[in-house]
Amino acid sequence: MTTKLFLTDKTLETEVSVLECIPSEDGTFSVTLDRTPFYPQGGGQPCDTGFIGKSEVIKVFENENGKICHIAKQEVPLGKAIAKVNVERRKLNTCLHSASHVISALIEGMGDWDVTKGSSFPGQARLEFKRKREEVEIPSIDQITEMLKDVVAQNLSFKENIDPETGFRIVTWGDLKAYPCGGTHVSSTAELADVVITKAHLKKGQPHVNFAKVLPKLRTFTTLPKPSK
Ligand SMILES: [Zn+2]
């Protein structure tokens, strides 16, 4: 089993040991490490990409034996190497994944909805809910946006616990509803300030909520620069 550094450590660049590097028919290599900062795809969150040594990592997944396979474009020599995760991609994935928890907790907290499915893939981030009562109206984009803004303003801290019965890691922010999860998470809800609700609609009779992270705003000048003399 590969040690999952991403569960306990936010370090995205660290020394690892390359234990295996197996060539595949498509010309890529499946690399196994003793420990990894790379998040493998799962739980609706895309995998990390980056580098192991000089070789580019394009895909990471966990196999049925708990081994994390890093798919690399070039062969990686066995022994010590620096594993380096793509920071911007991880940040975006962490933000959207955390937003999926928070939006689920807010809508479930309204009392009439159960979350059934979710994805935090950029461009396709969405949550699906099931109504507990037929007559209930789907919350509007404005309603969900207001709730989200409120939680962002409260700057709630990330919390995690291990469920003593199941051994699963349970995560939340402040007093929001907690969910079992092995993904990567923002330290505070303030980091979700750029998340927007893009759609709240019914699909096959069940509510779907779509969301996205907006790009940083273009800097605007409130005063004109003074003319140089
Ligand atoms: Zn999570």
Side-chain angles (χ1 to χ4, degrees):
M1 281 243 279
T2 317
T3 304
K4 297 171 176 175
L5 296 173
F6 55 85
L7 285 179
T8 51
D9 195 337
K10 291 202 175 206
T11 309
L12 298 181
E13 184 173 340
T14 190
E15 191 182 75
V16 294
S17 287
V18 179
L19 305 177
E20 239 177 14
C21 180
I22 303 165
S24 304
E25 279 180 9
D26 63 1
T28 62
F29 296 83
S30 180
V31 179
T32 313
L33 306 176
D34 60 337
R35 53 194 214 123
T36 186
F38 286 89
Y39 180 76
Q41 188 162 314
Q45 181 178 339
C47 69
D48 285 328
T49 57
F51 284 86
I52 299 171
K54 287 181 181 157
S55 180
E56 191 180 352
V57 176
I58 52 173
K59 192 176 163 190
V60 184
F61 64 92
E62 184 171 1
N63 75 9
E64 59 279 10
N65 303 318
K67 186 159 101 173
I68 296 179
C69 305
H70 306 77
I71 305 304
K73 276 185 169 176
Q74 298 87 19
E75 191 170 6
V76 186
L78 302 188
K80 300 276 181 215
I82 298 295
K84 196 174 171 185
V85 170
N86 179 326
V87 179
E88 288 309 314
R89 180 180 160 105
R90 163 68 77 84
K91 265 198 202 165
L92 174 63
N93 290 340
T94 297
C95 175
L96 288 174
H97 172 71
S98 303
S100 76
H101 277 280
V102 170
I103 298 165
S104 297
L106 290 172
I107 295 178
E108 286 201 324
M110 295 172 84
D112 293 315
W113 316 92
D114 283 325
V115 67
T116 54
K117 247 190 218 172
S119 162
S120 51
F121 275 62
Q124 316 165 25
R126 68 179 190 283
L127 289 158
E128 297 180 25
F129 295 88
K130 209 174 123 192
R131 287 196 262 208
K132 291 184 184 171
R133 298 185 288 127
E134 267 306 307
E135 63 274 26
V136 68
E137 286 279 316
I138 177 169
S140 68
I141 291 184
D142 288 348
Q143 251 179 308
I144 307 166
T145 302
E146 278 311 307
M147 291 193 294
L148 183 60
K149 269 191 185 168
D150 191 39
V151 165
V152 167
Q154 287 178 50
N155 190 10
L156 303 175
S157 297
F158 177 69
K159 294 198 291 201
E160 60 181 320
N161 285 302
I162 301 295
D163 184 320
E165 280 179 26
T166 59
F168 286 139
R169 184 172 75 144
I170 312 287
V171 306
T172 193
W173 291 261
D175 293 327
L176 293 174
K177 183 176 177 181
Y179 297 97
C181 187
T184 64
H185 303 97
V186 295
S187 305
S188 155
T189 53
E191 292 174 52
L192 305 179
D194 292 332
V195 174
V196 290
I197 307 297
T198 54
K199 223 176 188 184
H201 64 129
L202 284 175
K203 206 169 167 185
K204 293 180 189 159
Q206 296 302 340
H208 286 218
V209 174
N210 295 47
F211 56 99
K213 186 178 190 292
V214 291
L215 293 171
K217 287 191 187 81
L218 289 173
R219 201 140 42 110
T220 51
F221 293 97
T222 49
T223 52
L224 287 170
K226 281 181 189 168
S228 53
K229 286 177 186 169

